[in-house]
């Protein structure tokens, strides 16, 4: 209705939108969140079905271009070696994430000062430290205190068990004298806050029917709704509207029936990820902002970072029960995380130990690689690989480059006719050298752990573009950033961005815990500045 004005309108109900909604709810303002997807039904996740491996490759595939659900929007990523992956629903991409939850390092916020590349963040690790801890407590994070690679912190829940696979890899890292540690995981290991513990129902990245994985729909949203936040699902925002004072007035969106609506708001918060957020801003054109909302710097959509990913598989001569346990959350090594000039590249990478494949995945992957042939040798080769294979992922820090960007596609649209995003991304020479180093040292770790076969995959892995960062960066200089140090647009004083798009650098780890810490930090800054929020 024309006279209906909410205090705060949040666009996107994923990791960051949910965290902000929960934090701001204590102000007792009227808060509405619009989410283009719907609520997930855990009873329909692949792990509840006999054909779960097929379902994981189709309707629960990580690429929206494969799923093509009504809630999805297509992404033109043909001009990128890394495909864009996401999920659109209450909970966003946390529905399908692996729940690997390491924090950024303090150095990740100071790469210009330390290494002479990219830019420093306008905030540091210690500004976010209380919000890391708050987020861990809010959603239920498991882990083991004492990791020497990062500042001391105390995960609230015990770690995910390593299993025989993890024990074997731990011995390998010990043989090399390399760092390793059980990874922080967004998984409840004992029952916690009404949610039951992990039962290993299946790979975390196919959705958790148990509710043990701390996706935003089962962690933050119940708390936010109890506190009075209104969540409207199946509502796709087309554009953010502004007035002649350069203030956001609300949004135009399509409701669940496809009817165009306009919702007015005093404050607009965008939480649509590093591709969805620039897409929305670039679609929000007006006489005041002909090149896209909040884009007077010309940086909206630029500096896209995707974390180039490498993978090494090791096959062992003993059963390791390697398909058991949460898929992405066993252990990590950060031996090569910080810059060492002798390696031939700046910054570094995280080694993430992940489980072996399921039965069908093992068989089909072996067929594709030639290691498990059809015919009389099939079963013998399958037994040699199944439950004996371990994977080592290499998450490379991706430095920001302005030519890596999100724009609007000239022809492709979603089902409501809104122009789709186009991703243009090239792998830097620094990233290439980092990947090569990671693959070589990942193979070395596998051999040290006792692998009898080692298979590095071609890199970067194409279907690995989960981490969408940097396309509306924060900073103090309006000429060099899109939002200020607490997420407020330099150009539109009542517009805030809270997702991975505000990242200045990408770190070398999965970013969700840092995304949520940044979102909580921005929400806290808003609460502390309510009296002069628009000054």
């Amino acid at each position: 209705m024309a006279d209906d004005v909410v205090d705060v309108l949040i666009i996107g109900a994923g990791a960051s939108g949910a965290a902000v909604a929960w934090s701001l709810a204590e102000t007792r303002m009227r808060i509405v969140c619009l989410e283009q997807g719907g609520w997930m039904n855990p009873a329909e996740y692949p792990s509840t079905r006999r054909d779960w491996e097929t379902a994981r490759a189709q309707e629960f595939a990580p690429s929206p271009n494969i799923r093509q659900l009504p809630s999805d929007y297509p992404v033109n990523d043909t001009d990128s070696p890394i495909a864009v992956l996401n999920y659109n629903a209450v909970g966003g991409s946390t529905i399908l994430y692996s729940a690997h939850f390491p924090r950024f390092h303090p150095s990740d916020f100071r790469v210009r000062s330390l290494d002479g590349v990219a830019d420093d963040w306008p905030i540091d690790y210690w500004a976010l430290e209380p919000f890391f801890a708050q987020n861990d407590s809010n959603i239920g994070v498991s882990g083991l205190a004492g990791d020497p690679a990062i500042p001391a912190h105390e995960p609230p829940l015990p770690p995910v068990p390593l299993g025989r696979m993890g024990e074997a890899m731990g011995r390998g890292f010990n043989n090399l004298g390399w760092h390793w540690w059980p990874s922080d995981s967004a998984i409840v290991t004992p029952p916690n806050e009404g949610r039951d513990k992990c039962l290993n129902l299946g790979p975390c990245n196919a959705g958790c029917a148990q509710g043990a994985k701390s996706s935003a729909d089962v962690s933050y949203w119940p708390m936010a709704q109890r506190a009075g936040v209104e969540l409207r699902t199946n509502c796709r925002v087309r554009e953010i509207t502004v007035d002649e004072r350069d203030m956001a007035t609300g949004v135009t969106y399509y409701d669940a029936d496809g009817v165009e609506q306009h919702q007015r708001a005093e404050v607009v918060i965008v939480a649509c990820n590093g591709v969805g957020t620039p897409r929305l801003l670039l679609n929000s054109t007006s006489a005041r902002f002909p090149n896209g909302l909040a884009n007077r710097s010309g940086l909206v959509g630029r500096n896209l970072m995707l974390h180039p990913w490498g993978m090494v598989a090791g096959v062992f001569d003993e059963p390791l029960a390697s398909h058991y346990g949460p898929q992405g959350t066993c252990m990590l090594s950060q031996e090569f995380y910080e810059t060492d000039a002798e390696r031939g590249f700046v910054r570094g990478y995280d080694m993430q130990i992940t489980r072996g494949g399921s039965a069908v995945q093992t068989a089909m992957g072996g067929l594709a690689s030639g290691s498990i042939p059809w015919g009389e040798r099939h079963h013998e080769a399958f037994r040699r690989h199944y439950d004996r294979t371990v994977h080592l992922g290499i998450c490379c820090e991706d430095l920001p480059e302005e030519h890596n960007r999100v724009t609007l596609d000239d022809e492709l649209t979603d089902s409501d006719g809104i122009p789709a995003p186009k991703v243009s991304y090239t792998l830097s020479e620094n990233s290439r050298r980092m990947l090569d180093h990671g693959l070589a040292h990942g193979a070395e770790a596998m051999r040290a752990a006792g692998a009898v076969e080692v298979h590095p995959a071609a890199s970067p892995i194409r279907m690995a573009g989960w981490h969408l960062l940097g396309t509306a960066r924060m900073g103090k200089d309006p000429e060099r950033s899109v939002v200020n140090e607490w997420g407020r647009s330099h150009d539109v004083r009542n517009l805030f961005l809270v997702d991975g798009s505000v990242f200045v650098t990408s770190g070398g780890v999965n970013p969700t815990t840092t995304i949520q810490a940044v979102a909580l930090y921005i929400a806290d800054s808003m609460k502390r500045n309510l009296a002069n929020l628009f000054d």
Side-chain angles (χ1 to χ4, degrees):
M1 294 181 294
D3 59 349
D4 179 37
V5 183
V6 302
D7 295 311
V8 178
L9 182 66
I10 302 170
I11 308 169
S16 59
V20 164
W22 169 82
S23 180
L24 292 181
E26 69 171 354
T27 65
R28 302 301 180 187
M29 293 188 291
R30 185 183 173 199
I31 302 171
V32 170
C33 179
L34 301 180
E35 165 55 47
Q36 67 182 0
W39 283 97
M40 301 302 294
N41 181 356
E44 297 176 354
Y45 282 139
S47 61
T48 66
R49 299 158 48 173
R50 297 185 67 178
D51 66 342
W52 66 272
E53 289 169 293
T54 301
R56 189 170 62 151
Q58 295 298 323
E59 62 261 45
F60 283 86
S63 170
N65 296 336
I66 295 174
R67 291 190 310 267
Q68 298 185 7
L69 299 176
S71 57
D72 287 322
Y73 56 86
V75 180
N76 182 347
D77 53 19
T78 58
D79 193 21
S80 169
I82 303 172
V84 169
L85 310 180
N86 63 23
Y87 201 79
N88 299 298
V90 177
S93 294
T94 66
I95 298 299
L96 297 187
Y97 77 159
S98 292
H100 186 60
F101 227 58
R103 299 180 178 188
F104 270 29
H105 288 209
S107 66
D108 291 324
F109 300 88
R110 302 180 59 241
V111 299
R112 168 60 65 176
S113 297
L114 294 173
D115 300 310
V117 294
D119 291 296
D120 290 347
W121 290 54
I123 58 176
D124 62 16
Y125 176 91
W126 301 109
L128 295 182
E129 198 279 334
F131 302 104
F132 279 122
Q134 181 69 70
N135 192 57
D136 287 355
S137 176
N138 284 354
I139 70 172
V141 170
S142 64
L144 181 66
D147 184 352
I150 58 174
H153 70 286
E154 187 82 35
L157 302 175
V160 170
L162 295 179
R164 278 181 278 170
M165 178 197 76
E167 292 171 0
M169 292 305 303
R171 289 192 296 270
F173 286 125
N174 287 345
N175 289 337
L176 294 168
W178 293 357
H179 165 273
W180 70 272
W181 202 258
S183 64
D184 284 6
S185 307
I187 292 173
V188 298
T189 43
N192 184 71
E193 299 293 335
R195 292 161 51 210
D196 209 350
K197 65 181 180 180
C198 174
L199 292 177
N200 185 36
L201 292 180
C204 297
N205 53 14
C208 179
Q210 173 76 347
K213 185 176 74 170
S214 298
S215 52
D217 59 326
V218 301
S219 57
Y220 269 115
W221 274 114
M223 297 190 298
Q225 288 188 301
R226 285 195 299 269
V229 177
E230 178 187 349
L231 175 55
R232 300 179 196 167
T233 58
N234 301 302
C235 293
R236 174 178 278 147
V237 176
R238 186 184 72 203
E239 63 180 309
I240 301 168
T241 54
V242 293
D243 61 19
E244 66 282 354
R245 299 175 300 137
D246 290 349
M247 298 287 280
T249 58
V251 303
T252 300
Y253 72 98
Y254 298 102
D255 66 17
D257 297 318
V259 177
E260 182 179 308
Q261 306 281 359
H262 187 266
Q263 177 62 61
R264 297 173 62 198
E266 298 291 346
V267 174
V268 175
I269 299 175
V270 184
C272 300
N273 77 48
V275 168
T277 288
R279 178 208 184 196
L280 175 58
L281 296 177
L282 293 172
N283 271 309
S284 300
T285 57
S286 64
R288 303 288 298 174
F289 295 96
N291 298 315
L293 188 62
N295 194 29
R296 286 175 179 154
S297 66
L299 291 174
V300 170
R302 293 189 180 273
N303 296 297
L304 173 67
M305 297 173 283
L306 292 176
H307 278 163
W309 202 272
M311 185 69 71
V312 177
V315 182
F316 292 72
D317 62 3
E318 61 179 330
L320 295 176
S322 65
H323 84 280
Y324 288 107
Q327 182 158 0
T329 59
C330 175
M331 60 194 294
L332 53 74
S333 171
Q334 298 189 332
E335 181 69 21
F336 305 104
Y337 195 89
E338 305 291 353
T339 294
D340 182 342
E342 293 184 0
R343 299 178 194 145
F345 54 85
V346 292
R347 306 304 300 156
Y349 56 87
D350 177 74
M351 288 182 172
Q352 176 185 348
I353 304 303
T354 58
R355 308 288 175 180
S358 61
V360 171
Q361 184 182 15
T362 299
M364 298 302 293
L367 287 170
S369 67
S371 60
I372 303 179
W374 284 120
E376 62 183 43
R377 294 180 51 242
H378 177 83
H379 292 290
E380 176 190 353
F382 175 82
R383 284 192 295 269
R384 193 168 64 249
H385 288 81
Y386 181 58
D387 258 1
R388 300 177 180 220
T389 300
V390 180
H391 293 100
L392 185 152
I394 301 153
C395 179
C396 293
E397 174 159 355
D398 199 8
L399 294 173
E401 297 179 289
E402 288 192 13
H403 63 83
N404 289 333
R405 63 186 301 197
V406 176
T407 56
L408 298 179
D409 194 80
D410 292 333
E411 300 179 359
L412 198 63
T413 67
D414 63 25
S415 57
D416 288 304
I418 304 171
K422 178 180 180 179
V423 172
S424 301
Y425 175 91
T426 57
L427 190 71
S428 71
E429 183 58 33
N430 191 72
S431 293
R432 179 71 268 167
R433 292 196 295 267
M434 193 184 303
L435 274 170
D436 291 343
H437 186 276
L439 291 171
H441 287 77
E444 184 178 357
M446 285 293 182
R447 287 189 288 268
V452 294
E453 295 180 30
V454 177
H455 303 287
S459 63
I461 303 296
R462 175 155 178 80
M463 297 300 286
W466 281 112
H467 306 159
L468 312 173
L469 308 170
T471 49
R473 53 164 44 188
M474 63 164 54
K476 295 183 178 180
D477 182 356
E479 299 297 320
R480 297 293 308 143
S481 56
V482 177
V483 299
N484 71 5
E485 63 271 26
W486 44 288
R488 192 183 75 177
S489 163
H490 291 301
D491 298 340
V492 183
R493 290 171 294 147
N494 64 339
L495 175 68
F496 294 80
L497 312 184
V498 298
D499 54 58
S501 66
V502 306
F503 278 36
V504 180
T505 54
S506 70
V509 291
N510 300 42
T512 306
T513 183
T514 306
I515 288 172
Q516 290 185 303
V518 168
L520 292 174
Y521 160 80
I522 292 173
D524 186 72
S525 300
M526 294 174 69
K527 289 184 290 189
R528 288 188 287 104
N529 289 282
L530 279 179
N532 56 350
L533 194 60
F534 308 144
D535 290 349

